Amino acid sequence: NCGPATLAMALSYYGNTDDQAVAAAWLKPNAEDKNVSPWQMAAYVNTQLPGTLRALVRQGGTLETVKLLVSQNFPVILEAGYDPPNDPQGWMGHYLLVYGYDDSLGILRTMDSFEGPNYSYEYAYKDEFWRHFNRLYIVVYPIEREQELLTLLGSDADETQNLLNALEAARLEAVANPEDPFAWFNMGT
């Protein structure tokens, strides 16, 4: 239930008090469904919540973009591959809420529905697993800050240009390492 749980955590940043069960009822009408797609999470925010919050999905993110957004009080949800180090379940997809970072320690500060609150990931470790999903990220934001968010995103503000940027980044990774399956997956994405 990491999709609904992580989305509920992001929404709580803006004062929404609904727990993950409320989001899960819409995102996963079949409780056995293990997958929640990023577009579903954005659609939930954009169509099911009364009020002034919105969400957007982008691909090909960078650590610098995440840090910039977080520094401007935009918490960021990452979709990443995950292989829990202390729980041998094997690889899976996972959502993670980034709310801070520390350059001196080289870590992202997160709220992780699996590992718990205030869980830190080293930059390199998180990027390795984040690239499994084309460095996809979701930003939940107040609609009155939309122009500010779009300005921070630069060329990635436009969804089509964002996809072209992500394609070029994946292409460069595939050229650098033709045996890299995630670079090819990301190009296809």
Side-chain angles (χ1 to χ4, degrees):
N1 213 40
C2 71
T6 305
L7 185 56
M9 288 186 278
L11 294 170
S12 75
Y13 180 81
Y14 298 108
N16 185 301
T17 58
D18 292 342
D19 68 14
Q20 63 179 306
V22 176
W26 191 85
L27 293 166
K28 299 179 358 165
N30 175 351
E32 296 302 313
D33 184 359
K34 302 259 187 246
N35 182 52
V36 173
S37 296
W39 67 266
Q40 291 173 298
M41 293 169 65
Y44 175 77
V45 174
N46 295 338
T47 67
Q48 301 301 304
L49 294 181
T52 61
L53 294 179
R54 296 293 180 266
L56 61 76
V57 178
R58 294 295 184 266
Q59 297 188 45
T62 65
L63 177 61
E64 291 73 28
T65 299
V66 171
K67 290 169 31 178
L68 175 62
L69 294 173
V70 168
S71 75
Q72 298 303 307
N73 300 310
F74 292 104
V76 178
I77 297 172
L78 305 182
E79 183 180 31
Y82 192 56
D83 192 357
N86 300 317
D87 192 343
Q89 296 185 45
W91 185 93
M92 64 183 94
H94 187 54
Y95 289 103
L96 185 71
L97 180 68
V98 179
Y99 69 87
Y101 62 92
D102 186 328
D103 280 336
S104 68
L105 298 174
I107 59 170
L108 293 173
R109 300 201 186 279
T110 73
M111 301 299 267
D112 188 327
S113 64
F114 191 87
E115 297 292 348
N118 305 313
Y119 195 82
S120 296
Y121 286 97
E122 293 179 357
Y123 291 159
Y125 175 85
K126 185 42 55 196
D127 187 59
E128 177 58 31
F129 284 89
W130 189 25
R131 64 189 299 274
H132 295 181
F133 283 90
N134 205 16
R135 295 182 180 95
L136 186 140
Y137 61 102
I138 303 167
V139 184
V140 177
Y141 61 94
I143 197 163
E144 68 268 10
R145 293 188 68 199
E146 184 169 66
Q147 189 54 55
E148 178 185 354
L149 172 61
L150 296 176
T151 298
L152 291 171
L153 291 175
S155 67
D156 286 324
D158 178 79
E159 189 172 10
T160 300
Q161 186 60 52
N162 169 253
L163 294 173
L164 292 170
N165 294 344
L167 173 62
E168 180 60 14
R171 188 190 69 74
L172 290 173
E173 287 184 345
V175 167
N177 180 3
E179 302 302 314
D180 180 354
F182 292 111
W184 293 104
F185 173 79
N186 292 341
M187 283 178 63
T189 302

